[in-house]
Structure formats: structure tokens, C-alpha cells
Amino acid sequence: MMRRPLALLLSLVLALPAPLPVLAFDLPDLGDVAASELSPAAERRIGEQIIREIRWRDAAYLDDPEVEEYVNRLGHRLAAVGNNASLDFDFFVVRDPSLNAFALPGGYIGVHTGLLLAAETESEFASVLGHEIAHVTQRHIAQIVGKQSQSAMLMMASLLVAVLAARSNSDVSQAAIAAGQAGAIQSQLGYTRAFEREADRVGLDTLDRAGLDVRGMPSFFERLQRSTRMYENNAPAYLRTHPLTTERIADMENRVASMPFRQVLDSDDFRYARAKLRASVGQPADAVRDLEDRVARDGRDDAALYGLARALLRAGRTADAADRLGSLRARAAPSPWIETLAAEISLARRDPSSAIRTLETAQQRFPASRSLAYALADAQIRGGQAAQAVAGVRRMIDTRSADPRLWQLLSRAQAELGQRTEQHRAQAEVYVLRGSLPAAIEQLEIARRAGDGDFYTLSAVDARLRELQQRLLEERRER
């Protein structure tokens, strides 16, 4: 799988060796390789290609709207006060127990579940996001390209090949990674460390501006450094991809000492996200025991009780899950996490009507929650209210047309209603967003033959089909 390449991706970008041979994969057009710097547009194209492979072909990608929504909310809070608030950022989560995070070209930032679980406070977790955001805002990738010129451009393509190869041939990808490590120039090490120090300082300032506890950065990094003694030669991935030195930690501590003290409480979202991840780790029975122990140690820990209810549901103990969640709802502050879990329990009990009522009420209280909107549409489709799901999803698509989850829900709802033309038309948009134009064109051709579309719908299908065929032709010409 792609876990190893992902863990080393940033280190390769920040220590570019001589170019590797480019294999027969579809690579994005990088523009003029004679340019002295990788342009923001080229960075974005590379990042888009890699993220599509991660989201649609890597089983390690965590397709969890609630956890992803939380990480994006925190990440965008930090990015909004960073050095370049106009940059687009997209945060995602990889299911991997190792402690790692990485920045891809174009503002895509990945976080391993192990890192989120290892952080003891939200400020600690935010400090890593702030560090990765700084790598993007300071344009470290582009600066290295400026130093390496054409060879760096080719290395960016080779780097992409290594990531793409991982899904089909682990030997090829591991060879590419090994070659990248072996070919790293020693003089670049200082250049990389300079980037790390700059990312520390910019990230620390970002934490402060975002109203978080700046002490989270040195405390978390120092704990990571201490943990290397336990790992011997197999240090946590984050330390391998981000060279951590005593000098860096001392610099962070000195800077923090001059900043005003700020005590920051962890958000409920941070605690619920971690509890949900704990409930999904390992065998269901083991997760139940772990969370039962946490609840026994601190009966006032709402997040642990939430996690226990989730683990019980995962273990098939629906009645026990409902009992635990009932206790939580009676004492905890209202939360989308709690209401979504209540709806999931209702669906597990084959009571979609109750799930729909729960989610409709919750959506009125939390209208900005995307995960609630997804859950409501899913419950409506499963509960015989596909027409309501279509109406609600279409309203959201009007403002979020690049959201593949919405198009997938729309396709499912229209299939439930027997609207085959519209079903395949919506599925085509899913494939467009996945970067698979041939599959999207095939879906539109199926839509044309479905036989239940009116004149205006078929005209829209034909227009979109011609547009995608032209895009595919242009892409093939550029290769």
C-alpha cells in the first residue's frame, strides 16, 4: 500500500536528489521545465493528481466525514491567520498508527491517525498542522526547485511516479523511495534543516495568532524526541521526515518563553474525534475493553463514553450502545457527533424514521455541519425519502459543486427513485472529481441510452459529454 511512500513524501520533496527515470504513468503537465521555480499552478496540479490517487485508490485513506471535517476546521483556522491566507488548503487523514504528517504540493496536508491519537492536547496537534502549513506558505518546495532547476522538475515527476506506483507495485515504489534516499546530497541537509527551523518559527507564530497554546509545539516535539530512545533505529516517521534536533527544540522553547501565557481548553471536537478513532482501532471487543477502562478511570469523560458507545455499536451490541449514548445525551452539551451516532444506532435497529428525525433536528441546531448533512441524506435514501434527499443534496451542490460525496449521494438517491438518466449523469460528476474522464464519459453515454430523460436533460447530458470528450482529447495531446 501507499503508507511508506506517504510517510517519506515530504522528506523527498525537501531533499531532492538527482532525477529518477520516469515510468509509464499519467503525469500532470508541469509547464516549462526550464523555469527556475515551480509555479503555484504547477504545484497545485501535482498535488491534485497525488490526492486523487490517495482518496480513490489508497485503502489507508480515512473516508470519515466527521474526522475530516474537524481536521479541516482546525487547519483552516490556522491557515486563516498564516502568512498567506489566500492560499487554498485541503486537509485529509490517513489510517496509519505511525506518528506522521506531511505536506504535498499545492496545499494538501495529510495527517496520520496515530499522530492525532498521540497528541495530548489540541494545541499539540495544531502545532504540527501549523508546521506543515508553514512549509506550504513559505513555498519550500518551489524554493528547492529554484535551486535544482530542471532536475528538480523531473524529480517532482519521479516523486509522483513513486506514489502512483505504490498502488500496483510495491517493489517499484520502494525502489524509487530507496533511490531517493540514497541520492540525497549531503549539502542539502543544511538547506532542509533551515526549512525546518523556518517552519517551526512561522508555525509558532500561527499558533499564537490562532489563539492556541504555543507551548504545545515544544512540548510535543520534545516528547517525540524522547520517544526515539524506545524506537532505537526505527524512530517515528515524523522524526524521519522532519529532522528534529536539540537546537530546534531549544529555539522553540526560547521563543515561547517570551510569549504571554495562554491556557487553552481542548475543544469537544478534538476529544470526540480521538474517541471515534479509538473506537475503530483493532478488534471490536478490544476497543470496547479499552474504552470501558477509560470510562471506569474517569466517569465524567464525555468523549470516552461517546467512544464506548461507538465501540459497542461496532461490536454489534446495539442495545448497550443505545444505553450508553442515552446517558451521554442526558449530561453532555449538544454535539453533532452525538446526534450522528444516535442516528446510526437507529439505522442499526432498522428504524430509519427515527434516524431522520434525529438528524433533521440536529441540522437545525448545527446548520454548518457537513457531516450531518451527509448523514441526513443517507438516512433519507435508506428510509424511503429519496425525493427529499435529492432536493436537499441539490441545494448543497449549488454552493459545493466540487464535493464528490454530494454527487455520490445524489446518484444513489436518483437510483432509488428509478431516475436512471439522472443517476448516471450524477455518477459522471463523481468520476470527473476523481480525475477519471473516461469513466465519466462512459457514465454520460449510459445516461443518453437510459430512455427516461426529457429533452432538456438530454441536451445537458450531450453538452457535458462534448465538454469532457474535448478535455480528454486535450489531456492526451499534452502527454
Side-chain angles (χ1 to χ4, degrees), residues 13 30 80 127 164 189 215 313 332 357 361 376 378 439 459 476 478:
V13 173
L30 302 182
S127 72
L164 299 182
L189 185 59
R215 286 159 180 77
L313 176 61
R357 288 194 300 270
T361 302
L376 175 57
D378 175 69
S459 295
R476 287 174 174 169
E478 290 172 356

Side-chain angles (χ1 to χ4, degrees), residues 188-467:
Q188 289 245 145
L189 185 59
Y191 199 44
T192 300
R193 284 175 177 166
F195 281 166
E196 289 300 306
R197 286 193 297 270
E198 183 178 34
D200 290 340
R201 295 171 184 179
V202 173
L204 199 61
D205 183 59
T206 299
L207 271 184
D208 187 41
R209 292 183 186 183
L212 291 156
D213 184 4
V214 292
R215 286 159 180 77
M217 180 176 280
S219 68
F220 193 33
F221 282 20
E222 187 173 11
R223 197 165 68 252
L224 282 175
Q225 190 185 50
R226 288 199 305 268
S227 72
T228 58
R229 299 167 189 165
M230 299 172 55
Y231 290 90
E232 296 181 354
N233 294 327
N234 187 25
Y238 196 75
L239 300 189
R240 295 197 302 271
T241 58
H242 298 71
L244 185 60
T245 64
T246 303
E247 176 192 1
R248 276 181 59 200
I249 294 176
D251 182 52
M252 282 185 270
E253 289 175 338
N254 289 336
R255 291 175 182 278
V256 164
S258 65
M259 295 180 174
F261 176 77
R262 179 189 289 126
Q263 186 174 14
V264 181
L265 297 178
D266 295 336
S267 70
D268 288 343
D269 289 338
F270 172 72
R271 297 186 300 112
Y272 284 132
R274 284 158 46 86
K276 185 173 187 180
L277 292 177
R278 286 195 182 99
S280 67
V281 171
Q283 295 299 315
D286 294 336
V288 168
R289 281 192 292 272
D290 172 55
L291 287 154
E292 282 178 336
D293 290 342
R294 292 177 183 274
V295 170
R297 288 196 298 269
D298 185 357
R300 298 170 298 177
D301 188 344
D302 292 343
L305 188 56
Y306 162 83
L308 177 56
R310 272 217 164 272
L312 289 166
L313 176 61
R314 181 178 168 225
R317 296 167 57 180
T318 310
D320 292 336
D323 288 343
R324 294 289 189 164
L325 188 65
S327 301
L328 178 60
R329 293 177 91 181
R331 76 185 200 196
S335 169
W337 300 83
I338 295 174
E339 300 311 306
T340 301
L341 178 55
E344 289 179 31
I345 292 173
S346 294
L347 289 172
R349 289 176 153 181
R350 303 179 185 276
D351 186 3
S353 296
S354 178
I356 291 168
R357 288 194 300 270
T358 296
L359 293 167
E360 285 176 339
T361 302
Q363 195 173 47
Q364 291 174 4
R365 183 186 288 269
F366 306 103
S369 173
R370 291 190 181 188
S371 53
L372 272 177
Y374 299 139
L376 175 57
D378 175 69
Q380 288 171 330
I381 294 168
R382 296 167 65 177
Q385 296 185 20
Q388 290 91 323
V390 167
V393 170
R394 282 195 181 282
R395 285 194 298 270
M396 289 185 282
I397 285 176
D398 286 341
T399 57
R400 286 159 39 203
S401 60
D403 187 336
R405 287 191 179 103
L406 291 178
W407 287 107
Q408 190 67 68
L409 286 165
L410 181 60
S411 180
R412 282 181 52 204
Q414 289 166 333
E416 194 70 22
L417 293 171
Q419 299 173 352
R420 295 188 64 242
T421 300
E422 292 287 13
Q423 170 199 345
H424 293 287
R425 183 183 175 190
Q427 188 62 39
E429 298 306 320
V430 176
Y431 286 122
V432 170
L433 293 169
R434 290 184 178 185
S436 180
L437 291 182
I441 289 170
E442 181 182 14
Q443 287 295 312
L444 290 174
E445 289 172 341
I446 294 172
R448 290 176 67 189
R449 300 192 299 268
D452 62 349
D454 59 26
F455 172 79
Y456 297 101
T457 299
L458 291 176
S459 295
V461 168
D462 287 338
R464 185 61 164 158
L465 180 58
R466 287 193 297 271
E467 178 189 351

